[in-house]
Amino acid sequence: MHKEFLMGNEAIALGAMAAGVKVVSGYPGTPSTEVLETIAGRNTGDIHVEWSVNEKSAVEVAAGAAYSGARALVTMKQVGLNVASDPIMSLEYIGVKGGMVIMVSDDPGPISSQTEQDTRTFGMYSKIPVFDPASVKEAYEMIQDAFEFSEKHSTPVIFRPTTRIDHGYEAIEVKDESEYQKIDYEGFKKDSLRWVIFPKLSNANHAKIEKRNSEIAKYFSQYGKNEIIPASGAFKDSRYGIVSHGISFAYLMDSLDRYNHPRILKVATPFPFPEGKAKEFLEGLKEVLVIEELDPFIERALIFTCGKYGVRCKIAGKLSGAVKPSGENTLSEIKRTVNVFLGLDEIVEDDTFPEIPTLPVRPPVLCAGCPHRASFYVVKQAMKGQKTIFCGDIGCYTLANAQPLDMCDTCLCMGAGINIAQGVYHVEPDTKAFAFVGDSTFFASGITGAVNGFYNQADMTLVILDNSTTAMTGHQPHPGTGLTMMGETVESADIEKTLRGIGIETVETLNPLELEKSVEVVKRVASQKGMKAIIFRYPCIVRFKPKGGRAHVDADKCISCRKCINELGCPGVILKDGKAFIDTTQCTGCTLCEQVCPVGAISGGEAKNFGVS
């Protein structure tokens, strides 16, 4: 054993490696991404690690490994669970042979997500056991328990950290590589009665699952990380109690006097709910406060437990209005909630710290030199004056919704914009329908939309913004980059060939920084009937920084029309003394502002042509 200062995701990764994981698959998404990246970085060569094309594929790859008896980990964030839900729901009915952990990172807030989903509720819905760590150290230990548990009960399990666990840090004791488990597995054994999901098998296995989960609830009541902390001090004989879990439990303990607090229950395995432990906790209590993120999951389970066992105790929480119904919990909020519940005086904030200065307002914006800005500007200019809808997608390019670009009319979930554009066209055939999708998202969930549009004869233009990476989640590789997660060079999947293989005949590949040419091509393509596609190809400016010159403004030529500012919204172009001014610390020399300037007052940029003419 040795000590390391680790991010939660790093600790989870090392815990999985210590448990003998053999296959790790996933799809990048904050706050889960670093788990797979850490395993890839520390891999000694005996673990298969991959970024799968989407979460559904990742689960199916891991399931195949688990069918063979090997231990498998699949990683995603909560919205990725939606994509993976089809195989996960069926997988629980089939079961696994090797331990399989589905790590789903929830994002209360939400801080970087479309939704505030609670995976504990999905665990109950899918009947899959859920582990919910409360600290970095516990996450490291608990994921090892999760693999053991999964194997013992032949079921996949959900491991549900949240953002503050994933991205928190703690110095913890971890195993040396020599201490890692070596798991022997026999490989896949043919048995259609076990591995082929027919209605008869599902019916029989459903009954087994219900019986098994009842037994698991009893097992979880004895699991050491489900813990009752006795009351102390002035609350020794109090009939009040508090229940919490995850990072909220850590905040709760920070908010209480360690020598002077009521009875506390920490729930580490929310499903199947540890009723026995909860019943023991509730004995003699008059009222219990539940502090949790996000759904009133534990609150409902406690109310059910009270009813089932005839326990007379009032349960306060989200359903009663004692705790806010949504959003991320904070230490100060929990302090206030607990004080109200216990009838203590309102907390007086410590004013010995200096006042924190007000931070400047920095709205999210596309990077200076981002090729997406040029792509959106090209389409906007080409379609000026026409009735058009611009359907967006999940990624950096969602930022095109902001002024002055204003080029994102809809955004639902990954890949949805392509089909939404089709739906609009079918009811408003006079609308020019455009759908924007990134190269990584195209492979993850956009291909089916392209097939659907071609098959159902939609009149729309698919625009693929190919910047040769998965930029928003940290520049991970994807099938179009020609690299795997382990750094292997492979043949890349060709977007243009894929589109032509579907049957789409008009596919144009453009450099968005060739402004005039690109505008004319977009006009021509958009005027054609049927499904057609434009690929704007230029690498992400963060990953491939040009080495050319930076632009500058000739103040004598500048007429202060502000077109470069008002139409582009590039953070590298600002106003100074009434004239346009280039911030050379941000400028990448992309030349977009030079091409937009009506009087040629801007020059000096040296945009690179990365093989696109």
Side-chain angles (χ1 to χ4, degrees):
M1 297 285 284
H2 64 282
K3 183 169 281 191
E4 290 193 41
F5 185 61
L6 297 170
M7 178 196 285
N9 280 341
E10 293 173 325
I12 293 167
L14 294 187
M17 294 178 75
V21 70
K22 186 69 176 177
V23 170
V24 182
S25 55
Y27 189 79
T30 305
S32 70
T33 306
E34 296 88 358
V35 173
L36 191 144
E37 291 180 335
T38 298
I39 294 176
R42 300 214 186 191
N43 190 2
T44 57
D46 57 346
I47 305 173
H48 173 77
V49 185
E50 70 171 46
W51 284 127
S52 304
V53 295
N54 62 21
E55 294 86 356
K56 179 180 186 293
S57 299
V59 167
E60 291 159 355
V61 167
Y67 284 2
S68 301
R71 290 187 170 180
L73 171 67
V74 57
T75 71
M76 65 194 72
K77 66 186 294 182
Q78 85 281 10
V79 288
L81 182 59
N82 302 332
V83 179
S85 62
D86 191 9
I88 289 176
M89 294 295 293
S90 296
L91 184 61
E92 175 63 350
Y93 277 68
I94 287 289
V96 294
K97 185 162 60 176
M100 179 174 168
V101 176
I102 304 167
M103 192 198 93
V104 184
S105 293
D106 282 3
D107 187 24
I111 299 169
S112 59
S113 307
Q114 307 98 287
T115 66
E116 247 192 339
Q117 297 166 215
D118 192 327
T119 297
R120 297 176 302 165
T121 299
F122 182 91
M124 180 174 64
Y125 170 56
S126 61
K127 307 184 189 306
I128 297 177
V130 179
F131 288 76
D132 190 3
S135 68
V136 172
K137 178 176 183 291
E138 187 167 89
Y140 173 77
E141 297 168 347
M142 190 182 282
I143 196 164
Q144 296 176 64
D145 295 341
F147 276 108
E148 295 284 352
F149 179 88
S150 170
E151 221 158 71
K152 177 181 178 181
H153 295 278
S154 300
T155 177
V157 300
I158 291 172
F159 187 78
R160 185 246 184 191
T162 57
T163 300
R164 300 305 176 185
I165 298 296
D166 286 319
H167 290 166
Y169 279 82
E170 188 176 351
I172 64 172
E173 291 283 342
V174 297
K175 294 177 181 177
D176 297 326
E177 190 178 319
S178 60
E179 299 175 276
Y180 289 1
Q181 283 187 268
K182 304 298 181 184
I183 306 298
D184 295 324
Y185 56 95
E186 61 178 356
F188 182 76
K189 298 297 180 183
K190 291 178 181 287
D191 184 355
S192 61
L193 294 178
R194 178 173 184 183
W195 303 119
V196 182
I197 190 165
F198 284 114
K200 183 178 180 180
L201 176 67
S202 296
N203 183 272
N205 283 357
H206 187 185
K208 291 178 182 177
I209 289 167
E210 296 295 350
K211 182 180 179 181
R212 180 207 69 193
N213 280 354
S214 179
E215 294 300 315
I216 289 175
K218 296 176 183 177
Y219 169 82
F220 278 166
S221 290
Q222 304 302 316
Y223 181 47
K225 288 182 169 50
N226 286 315
E227 180 184 6
I228 296 174
I229 302 172
S232 65
F235 292 94
K236 191 82 173 169
D237 300 317
S238 171
R239 296 184 64 195
Y240 289 85
I242 304 176
V243 182
S244 195
H245 73 115
I247 194 65
S248 295
F249 171 78
Y251 292 162
L252 171 65
M253 299 310 290
D254 281 348
S255 71
L256 293 170
D257 180 344
R258 59 182 296 189
Y259 301 109
N260 199 44
H261 60 73
R263 192 186 308 174
I264 298 166
L265 172 64
K266 180 177 76 119
V267 178
T269 54
F271 182 81
F273 191 69
E275 287 181 7
K277 181 69 73 173
K279 180 175 177 291
E280 178 187 347
F281 167 79
L282 291 167
E283 288 176 359
L285 294 181
K286 174 185 176 182
E287 188 171 353
V288 166
L289 174 68
V290 184
I291 297 174
E292 58 187 320
E293 294 173 336
L294 289 152
D295 293 344
F297 187 92
I298 296 173
E299 186 179 357
R300 288 190 179 112
L302 287 172
I303 292 170
F304 175 84
T305 302
C306 287
K308 180 176 179 179
Y309 295 102
V311 176
R312 296 182 64 83
C313 180
K314 179 181 177 182
I315 308 299
K318 293 173 182 282
L319 296 175
S320 71
V323 179
K324 65 175 186 176
S326 63
E328 183 182 24
N329 289 333
T330 65
L331 176 60
S332 59
E333 288 171 344
I334 288 176
K335 281 183 177 181
R336 283 192 290 271
T337 301
V338 168
N339 274 19
V340 170
F341 175 71
L342 296 177
L344 302 176
D345 294 333
E346 183 64 30
I347 296 169
V348 178
E349 298 292 341
D350 187 348
D351 59 0
T352 59
F353 294 100
E355 184 178 347
I356 299 174
T358 302
L359 295 176
V361 177
R362 291 173 179 163
V365 64
L366 293 169
C367 298
C370 175
H372 296 338
R373 177 179 288 102
S375 300
F376 283 115
Y377 186 75
V378 164
V379 176
K380 187 173 186 177
Q381 296 307 303
M383 303 313 297
K384 189 175 292 185
Q386 300 187 57
K387 183 182 178 183
T388 315
I389 184 171
F390 303 114
C391 297
D393 214 292
I394 303 299
C396 293
Y397 38 90
T398 309
L399 299 173
N401 75 312
Q403 296 290 349
L405 289 175
D406 190 23
M407 287 289 289
C408 185
D409 296 324
T410 73
C411 184
L412 180 63
C413 63
M414 288 186 68
I418 303 173
N419 291 311
I420 289 173
Q422 295 166 37
V424 171
Y425 159 72
H426 288 310
V427 296
E428 295 184 55
D430 61 330
T431 298
K432 293 290 187 181
F434 278 74
F436 295 90
V437 68
D439 46 338
S440 178
T441 303
F442 173 76
F443 289 116
S445 57
I447 292 176
T448 52
V451 174
N452 193 74
F454 174 77
Y455 171 61
N456 288 296
Q457 304 175 65
D459 184 359
M460 65 163 290
T461 304
L462 170 60
V463 179
I464 298 173
L465 306 171
D466 182 359
N467 64 357
S468 302
T469 189
T470 312
M472 178 162 274
T473 55
H475 303 283
Q476 292 80 17
H478 62 68
T481 63
L483 290 173
T484 68
M485 183 56 199
M486 294 310 301
E488 301 164 313
T489 301
V490 296
E491 187 173 353
S492 61
D494 190 297
I495 296 175
E496 184 171 344
K497 288 180 180 178
T498 300
L499 293 169
R500 293 192 186 280
I502 289 169
I504 300 173
E505 294 182 357
T506 300
V507 182
E508 296 281 355
T509 301
L510 301 170
N511 178 347
L513 292 176
E514 294 179 344
L515 192 57
E516 187 175 340
K517 173 186 174 181
S518 296
V519 169
E520 292 307 312
V521 172
V522 172
K523 287 180 179 179
R524 171 171 54 80
V525 171
S527 67
Q528 299 177 22
K529 293 295 183 182
M531 186 83 178
K532 53 270 182 188
I534 296 170
I535 303 169
F536 283 116
R537 180 167 292 143
Y538 197 95
C540 174
I541 210 71
V542 173
R543 191 173 175 87
F544 303 96
K545 288 188 180 293
K547 296 180 180 178
R550 305 295 186 255
H552 65 273
V553 178
D554 185 334
D556 293 333
K557 288 184 178 180
C558 179
I559 60 174
S560 301
C561 67
R562 303 187 185 186
K563 186 176 182 181
C564 55
I565 295 173
N566 294 340
E567 293 193 4
L568 300 180
C570 176
V573 186
I574 59 177
L575 201 64
K576 186 175 182 181
D577 299 327
K579 303 278 188 176
F581 180 80
I582 305 296
D583 180 356
T584 55
T585 64
Q586 296 195 64
C587 178
T588 63
C590 75
T591 76
L592 182 61
C593 59
E594 298 178 29
Q595 297 177 70
V596 167
C597 179
V599 294
I602 309 176
S603 63
E606 295 182 13
K608 301 301 180 183
N609 187 325
F610 288 84
V612 181
S613 60

